[in-house]
Amino acid sequence: MIQNQHLTSTMEDYLETIFILSREKGAIRIKNIAKRLGVKMPTVTNMLKNLNEKGFIDYEKHEFLELTEKGLAIGKEIDRRHEIIRSFLTDILKIDYWLADEEACKMEHGMSPETLNRLIKFIDFVQSCPMTGESWLKYFNEYCQFGFETEKCLEHMEKFSKEDKKELILRKKKDENRHQLS
Amino acid sequence: MIQNQHLTSTMEDYLETIFILSREKGAIRIKNIAKRLGVKMPTVTNMLKNLNEKGFIDYEKHEFLELTEKGLAIGKEIDRRHEIIRSFLTDILKIDYWLADEEACKMEHGMSPETLNRLIKFIDFVQSCPMTGESWLKYFNEYCQFGFETEKCLEHMEKFSKEDKKELILRKKKDENRHQLS
DNA sequence: AAATAAAGTTAGGGGGATCTAATTATATTT
DNA sequence: AAATATAATTAGATCCCCCTAACTTTATTT
């Protein structure tokens, strides 16, 4: 009973939306799906039939609407991608939240797991590396506004040598203590 | 005589491809467009008619095929986006070139100019900020492989304090000299 | 120049995602 | 409970992009 497993990015969008709605409220309304996706209700009804046949949702007209295990996995995964990409856009590039959210929608499909993992690591790295972190991201913002300024740049480096470095040495000591305990 | 200006991302892909081919060789062959886009020849012929009607190309069957000014602008712009995104993926995230190229295809549409500009700035900033640059990207690679290692991290910081900082101070002096000359 | 090969086009069809208009089912008011 | 409002579905159509098969035009051989 292997059904046509082909999943379009539109279908992924529907599953993501249903996933999000199911997290928010009890009942998932066709109206709400339509609103969120910017389509009309009959379009949703159509797609629900389709997703039902393919085994991604349990759906009885006028009655139930629920993700199957398979559908849930996909909805969740797309949502995860969405969050990651939006994080990159808001936290690193400092793009406005709603613009970032919109763009994330367009990028969340098709991106390979490899690239996605790299992106996760990159966000982590920028935030945890003592060379960078929030202060560096602040400098990036200044750079966007004023370009490269040697004077500012030296200031940043002074600050780094004096403050951030000490913090790391502190962190190192904590690490060592932890090792001794275990 | 205002035609239907609506431009789909598929149409953008065709214009990009034609732009690239026109840069490479003299004659733009339907066969080559088809090959590059992974479609059959009749599909291309269809689209060319469409693009012709909409004023993006000049096209006489069995004869000419050329981008109009309008079509050129779009083809060029999509190509630019493609390059920028691929740069980010290869130069910053260090993704394999061909995978990056593939992913760039999927992301190059829909991305807002704002985000694109931010991305350009970001690539520039990472590469030109003395805190980061190539060495920092190398550290990122290590981080991806081995995670966060306090020991390594301290080494990096030492190296930074000793070498990279000096380089910047040198740069500053050059700047000052330039100012005195002018 | 005739025969063959390659490139391009036409014709007709299909799947995916959307719409409007009309209908039916469910919820809410009075 | 009847009337009304809201939500959901069905039916039928459109648009976009792709396909195969058959045909025509252009290029290459012999």
Side-chain angles (χ1 to χ4, degrees), chain B residues 101-118:
Chain B
D101 198 63
E102 216 178 281
E103 311 249 353
C105 284
K106 295 172 202 153
M107 301 194 217
E108 72 202 12
H109 313 281
M111 188 179 282
S112 72
E114 196 176 330
T115 301
L116 205 72
N117 284 334
R118 271 279 170 176

Side-chain angles (χ1 to χ4, degrees), chain B residues 31 41 45 49 59 61-62:
Chain B
K31 209 182 81 168
M41 289 203 296
T45 308
K49 262 184 218 163
Y59 172 53
K61 64 183 179 182
H62 293 292

Side-chain angles (χ1 to χ4, degrees), chain A residues 97-146:
Chain A
Y97 183 92
W98 289 111
L99 177 59
D101 199 63
E102 217 178 279
E103 312 250 354
C105 284
K106 295 171 203 152
M107 301 194 219
E108 72 201 13
H109 311 282
M111 187 180 283
S112 72
E114 194 175 331
T115 301
L116 204 73
N117 284 334
R118 269 282 175 179
L119 197 60
I120 295 169
K121 293 259 186 193
F122 185 75
I123 297 169
D124 278 359
F125 185 64
V126 168
Q127 288 171 346
S128 70
C129 176
M131 300 285 196
T132 51
E134 263 317 308
S135 56
W136 181 77
L137 289 169
K138 217 181 65 203
Y139 306 156
F140 170 52
N141 250 337
E142 285 174 17
Y143 174 78
C144 286
Q145 282 183 72
F146 311 116

Side-chain angles (χ1 to χ4, degrees), chain A residues 31 41 45 49 59 61:
Chain A
K31 208 182 81 168
M41 289 204 296
T45 308
K49 261 183 220 163
Y59 172 55
K61 63 182 178 182

Side-chain angles (χ1 to χ4, degrees), chain A residues 5-20 33 37 47 50-51 54 56-57 67 70-82 104-112, chain B residues 106:
Chain A
Q5 292 293 354
H6 177 242
L7 196 56
T8 66
S9 52
T10 309
M11 283 156 78
E12 287 183 349
D13 281 333
Y14 279 85
L15 292 174
E16 184 192 11
T17 300
I18 296 167
F19 171 72
I20 289 166
I33 300 175
L37 288 171
M47 184 56 91
N50 186 4
L51 292 171
K54 294 202 168 78
F56 295 115
I57 59 174
L67 289 166
K70 220 171 74 175
L72 178 70
I74 292 159
K76 210 174 199 165
E77 168 62 17
I78 303 298
D79 183 58
R80 179 180 148 261
R81 285 163 176 245
H82 186 101
C105 284
K106 295 171 203 152
M107 301 194 219
E108 72 201 13
H109 311 282
M111 187 180 283
S112 72
Chain B
K106 295 172 202 153

